[in-house]
Amino acid sequence: MTMLYQHISARFLAWGNSCMTGHTTLLLLLAGPLWLLIYLNLALAADTLVALLPIEPHSHLAESLRFFVYETPKVLMLLTAIVMIMGMVNTWFTPERTRAMLSGRHEGMGNMLAALLGVVTPFCSCSAVPLFIGFVQAGVPLGVTFSFLVAAPMVNEVALTLLFALLGWKVALLYMILGLSIAMVAGWIMGRMHMEVYLEDWVRDMARISADFRANEMTLAQRLHAGIAAMKDIVGRVALYVVAGVAVGAGIHGYVPQSAMATLMGAEASWWSVPAAILVGVPMYANAAGIVPVVEALLSKGAALGTVLAFMMSVIALSVPEMVILRKVLKLRLIMLFAAVVAGGILLVGYVFNAVL
Amino acid sequence: MKQFRVLGSGCASCKQTMAMIEQVAAQRGVAIGLEKVESLQQIVAYGVLSTPAVVLDGVVVHAGGIPAREQVEQWLA
């Protein structure tokens, strides 16, 4: 399976590279309308395809298959388009520029700006340490840095696209607002607690540097190429998660009885369902692409929105591997506090939503 | 001889970056020195915020992703 996947993505990359040299713009102009045409006809195509198969209509298998055949291409197509556009937007918000914008900011406004910039600045958890150090070195307050570090992985284009595709724009917007709020407040609290002493010694003793940056003047064509590169990179990386996630979701759709989740994760479930969802979520290391289809399926089986959102946020925002990486620059106490504050915010979001909705 | 250093803590894109520089250099028949820097202290010392980053003769020429092939060819020209 992995071999096959690697083979396919290698072919895809090779194809992409050969296109890059040629008339990229022309190709994109043609691709746009074609994309729209296919996207608008996906439901019809999925229905037709499932009807052609020798399966009893409306059976468990037919329901599962239809979900899979319709949602997989839909999510992948939306993801491709949005990741490409965000790849272009990202070229305006390099980490260097974001750092310059945040350097010397005060708490409050700084936390807000950091959370917002976290959405549009490209971020990969493998770069978390250099980024963290670079921010602190250039005089970005610790709490503001944390706001960025919480928002960047949690509120990103992949998560939002999947929420939009599977659960609609209201849930996507809600997730964005809640994620940003948690990032702002958690960062602000951590800033108030003056945790600078719990940085690892070598980080604390580093020389300060200025946050000046040279604006990289890119042409529009270069930004377009960056968008295409981001699309190939990110879609290539998450495609397998999307397919796996939708497959699990499809299974839940077809085979798990309606309202099976109501007692376990529903609004009437006991008080511990939200903390339990968070505890289950933390050790899980999946990205948004894999988790949203499962979330959608759980919701359709009677789980409450607050509990499910809390689960999703804890899977994405609090991951053990990232904490292991951050351990190189933060003392254990600060990491524990970081996890506790973010988990507290997620807990609050879960409870409030279950109470309000 | 041009000295390349690829900065990164062992992620897949760092390896791809190394491979690409090696490949382009071999194609053009240019002799280069290529070295991988994984130590965080050293990476941070170059002031990069995102990896993989490429250092050419002591100067950071690229950061935050696999460089475009055209870019690698420019460095070797």
Side-chain angles (χ1 to χ4, degrees), chain A residues 206-223:
Chain A
M206 275 180 328
R208 302 279 133 184
I209 54 166
S210 87
D212 287 343
F213 84 106
R214 288 170 293 130
N216 55 333
E217 283 311 318
M218 291 174 87
T219 63
L220 199 61
Q222 281 173 319
R223 294 188 199 278

Side-chain angles (χ1 to χ4, degrees), chain A residues 17-337:
Chain A
N17 282 337
S18 67
C19 293
M20 291 274 282
T21 54
H23 312 280
T24 316
T25 321
L26 190 70
L27 205 77
L28 280 175
L29 283 177
L30 290 172
L34 188 68
W35 184 95
L36 204 64
L37 188 72
I38 298 175
Y39 186 80
L40 291 175
N41 286 295
L42 279 177
L44 187 68
D47 284 338
T48 318
L49 191 70
V50 175
L52 283 175
L53 295 171
I55 306 169
E56 193 185 324
H58 306 297
S59 65
H60 289 325
L61 186 61
E63 290 295 311
S64 287
L65 265 180
R66 194 204 172 269
F67 182 81
F68 185 76
V69 173
Y70 173 56
E71 299 293 348
T72 312
K74 180 177 112 181
V75 171
L76 285 177
M77 284 182 76
L78 262 181
L79 206 57
T80 307
I82 291 183
V83 164
M84 205 196 104
I85 293 166
M86 279 305 292
M88 288 182 71
V89 172
N90 280 345
T91 60
W92 275 278
F93 296 93
T94 60
E96 287 77 13
R97 183 178 205 167
T98 293
R99 175 171 73 172
M101 286 171 79
L102 291 177
S103 150
R105 288 270 169 189
H106 291 294
E107 286 162 347
M109 274 305 282
N111 294 102
M112 216 184 260
L113 191 64
L116 288 170
L117 284 169
V119 181
V120 286
T121 309
F123 175 80
C124 148
S125 56
C126 54
S127 297
V129 165
L131 192 112
F132 182 90
I133 295 173
F135 273 34
V136 171
Q137 237 182 341
V140 178
L142 197 57
V144 175
T145 307
F146 274 117
S147 280
F148 182 87
L149 272 185
V150 175
M154 184 154 67
V155 189
N156 60 58
E157 69 271 20
V158 175
L160 292 175
T161 305
L162 269 108
L163 285 171
F164 168 74
L166 294 168
L167 292 165
W169 66 269
K170 281 184 195 157
V171 177
L173 188 69
L174 205 63
Y175 178 86
M176 187 169 97
I177 293 170
L178 291 173
L180 288 175
S181 311
I182 291 176
M184 287 172 202
V185 176
W188 184 77
I189 292 175
M190 304 221 25
R192 296 276 81 197
M193 296 177 89
H194 300 292
M195 301 303 286
E196 282 79 2
V197 282
Y198 295 108
L199 292 176
E200 280 294 340
D201 301 338
W202 67 275
V203 178
R204 216 175 46 216
D205 300 338
M206 275 180 328
R208 302 279 133 184
I209 54 166
S210 87
D212 287 343
F213 84 106
R214 288 170 293 130
N216 55 333
E217 283 311 318
M218 291 174 87
T219 63
L220 199 61
Q222 281 173 319
R223 294 188 199 278
L224 195 64
H225 277 225
I228 294 171
M231 178 192 85
K232 284 192 292 185
D233 176 37
I234 295 175
V235 176
R237 238 175 327 118
V238 303
L240 196 61
Y241 288 95
V242 172
V243 175
V246 175
V248 173
I252 296 177
H253 259 279
Y255 290 95
V256 175
Q258 209 73 42
S259 77
M261 288 295 151
T263 44
L264 206 59
M265 294 178 87
E268 305 303 312
S270 46
W271 63 269
W272 50 262
S273 68
V274 179
I278 295 173
L279 284 179
V280 172
V282 175
M284 285 180 68
Y285 183 56
N287 54 35
I291 208 75
V292 181
V294 177
V295 158
E296 193 272 344
L298 290 175
L299 271 179
S300 74
K301 298 298 177 186
L305 188 60
T307 311
V308 165
L309 279 184
F311 173 65
M312 180 177 164
M313 284 177 167
S314 73
V315 170
I316 302 177
L318 288 172
S319 75
V320 174
E322 191 180 314
M323 286 181 209
V324 171
I325 295 175
L326 282 176
R327 178 65 191 85
K328 291 178 183 160
V329 284
L330 308 179
K331 290 188 177 154
L332 194 61
R333 202 168 151 176
L334 185 46
I335 294 191
M336 301 297 276
L337 182 78

Side-chain angles (χ1 to χ4, degrees), chain A residues 95 127 129 131 133-134 202 328, chain B residues 9 11 40-41 44 48-51:
Chain A
S127 297
V129 165
L131 192 112
I133 295 173
W202 67 275
K328 291 178 183 160
Chain B
S9 45
C11 49
L40 276 172
Q41 273 97 331
V44 170
V48 297
L49 292 180
S50 45
T51 54

